Amino acid sequence: MTWAVLVVIGACTYGLRASMFVALGSRSVPEWLEGPLALVGPAAIAALLGSMLFTHDGAVSGAPLADAVAVVAAFIVVRRTQNVMAAMAVGLPVAWALAAVGF
Amino acid sequence: MRTVHLQPRSVAHGFGGAAFEGVRDITPMVMGIVPFGLAIGAAIGASSLTSAEGLFSGPVILAGAAQLATIQMLDGGTTPVVVILSAVSINARILLYSASLARWFADRPLWQRLLLALPVIDQMHFTCAPRFERGDLDRSGRAAYYVGAAAWLVLAWVASQIAALLVGAGAPQALRLDLAAPLAMVGLLAKSATGRTPVVAAVTAGLVATVGVGLPLHGSVLVATLAGMLAGQASARVTPRAVEVSS
């Protein structure tokens, strides 16, 4: 039964993935849809981030101070450097340093 | 309204160069998913699923949150129908990524589009869509970039789960690898969300995802994403009028 469940979930998820690849065909995206589609990225990233940082076990919960400071520091550094790798290069040491002093 | 360049302005890369660029650009995302892959590998090891079943779930679902939820629900004896509905609901956002990425491959034959759809997931969209919108990759360059990024992402995803299953997710808690994924995402957000419209979309989506955490069928991320898109679009309509009035 486990195998069957996994195959069905995989098939349904692939259906979601392939749906627009098949539906659009050689047609281009309607103009009215271009604006909203350009916002999928920032909106989805922020939604996932909000869910990761501020919820726990299905309830709203504040992010630990060290995590919040690390994330804000990472945001500022990437904003200035435009280098996404800097997020981890700065964020993780900030979290380690705060943990070392008891946060 | 953003201009979308479906035709290249210039061909800036050979096939190999574009593939390598895809690998390079998705690397921060890969570093973000490896700790998640390790955690899922450990969850497989601790569950009643066999190693084969658990490892099969990685590439076949290819979406961390849904995979983890599936493993936990199967382990807890949840009814198959509920497991399937929950996993597919968690993955519903993939429909939006499909719509966003498909347009760049619309001129490809159906069989190629069906293959290119296989790795559609958050990290692929976050990496490839902004790169394609720069408009300097031609048809072949886009495919090479996409395949390079996908290969590296899937390889790291599967390898991290196998590694955790074989040797245990033994990384010390103090390394805070659990922060890697949010940090990679916040980095991407800092780079990509520039200008009023995407910022409004991001702030709205973040708030709705947090407040709506209790929505049924794990729907908060999808609902929040749609709410963010709507709010961003609304702000884009308001802004030009505001400028008009002030000028």
Side-chain angles (χ1 to χ4, degrees):
Chain A
M1 182 53 86
T2 299
W3 286 102
V5 170
L6 295 175
V7 167
V8 171
I9 293 171
C12 291
T13 304
Y14 178 68
L16 294 169
R17 294 186 157 108
S19 56
M20 292 298 135
F21 279 75
V22 173
L24 280 178
S26 55
R27 286 164 292 177
S28 55
V29 174
E31 199 177 323
W32 62 267
L33 206 54
E34 285 177 6
L37 282 181
L39 296 175
V40 173
I45 299 173
L48 288 166
L49 262 177
S51 172
M52 280 177 179
L53 292 173
F54 302 116
T55 70
H56 187 68
D57 280 344
V60 178
S61 105
L65 182 64
D67 294 15
V69 173
V71 163
V72 170
F75 185 90
I76 292 169
V77 171
V78 175
R79 202 65 153 184
R80 286 176 181 270
T81 62
Q82 292 294 297
N83 180 357
V84 178
M85 291 293 281
M88 260 173 282
V90 169
L92 285 176
V94 166
W96 297 334
L98 287 170
V101 293
F103 286 101
Chain B
M1 182 66 66
R2 280 176 98 122
T3 305
V4 176
H5 301 283
L6 289 176
Q7 296 301 319
R9 287 188 207 127
S10 64
V11 179
H13 302 268
F15 192 91
F20 176 75
E21 196 187 332
V23 170
R24 187 196 64 196
D25 288 354
I26 207 165
T27 295
M29 294 281 105
V30 167
M31 290 178 68
I33 59 124
V34 163
F36 198 12
L38 291 172
I40 290 180
I44 293 169
S47 75
S48 58
L49 271 68
T50 65
S51 297
E53 289 165 343
L55 291 178
F56 176 71
S57 68
V60 83
I61 300 176
L62 202 64
Q67 187 190 355
L68 189 57
T70 299
I71 292 164
Q72 286 170 340
M73 284 188 283
L74 285 172
D75 186 46
T78 308
T79 315
V81 174
V82 175
V83 179
I84 292 166
L85 282 177
S86 300
V88 174
S89 305
I90 295 170
N91 282 343
R93 70 190 184 286
I94 289 175
L95 194 66
L96 300 175
Y97 303 146
S98 174
S100 167
L101 288 171
R103 59 185 160 150
W104 300 105
F105 302 110
D107 57 349
R108 298 240 159 216
L110 179 62
W111 70 270
Q112 288 186 14
R113 280 183 275 134
L114 289 174
L115 287 177
L116 288 163
L118 282 168
V120 172
I121 191 61
D122 311 75
Q123 292 79 6
M124 287 296 291
H125 173 263
F126 299 156
T127 304
C128 296
R131 180 66 188 87
F132 294 167
E133 279 174 17
R134 278 164 52 187
D136 62 346
L137 285 175
D138 65 355
R139 179 176 184 269
S140 156
R142 283 197 296 271
Y145 183 94
Y146 185 89
V147 170
W152 179 213
L153 183 76
V154 174
L155 180 72
W157 183 238
V158 174
S160 60
Q161 295 189 19
I162 293 174
L165 198 56
L166 290 179
V167 298
Q173 186 88 20
L175 280 179
R176 292 305 316 272
L177 291 181
D178 58 307
L179 256 187
L183 285 172
M185 287 192 182
V186 88
L188 210 64
L189 194 63
K191 189 172 179 183
S192 64
T194 52
R196 181 194 180 106
T197 308
V199 167
V200 169
V203 170
T204 306
L207 285 173
V208 173
T210 305
V211 176
V213 63
L215 285 174
L217 290 172
H218 306 277
S220 62
V221 169
L222 177 64
V223 170
T225 303
L226 291 170
M229 289 163 65
L230 286 173
Q233 272 301 99
S235 80
R237 292 206 181 93
V238 167
T239 310
R241 280 186 212 132
V243 171
E244 225 172 75
V245 169
S246 66
S247 59

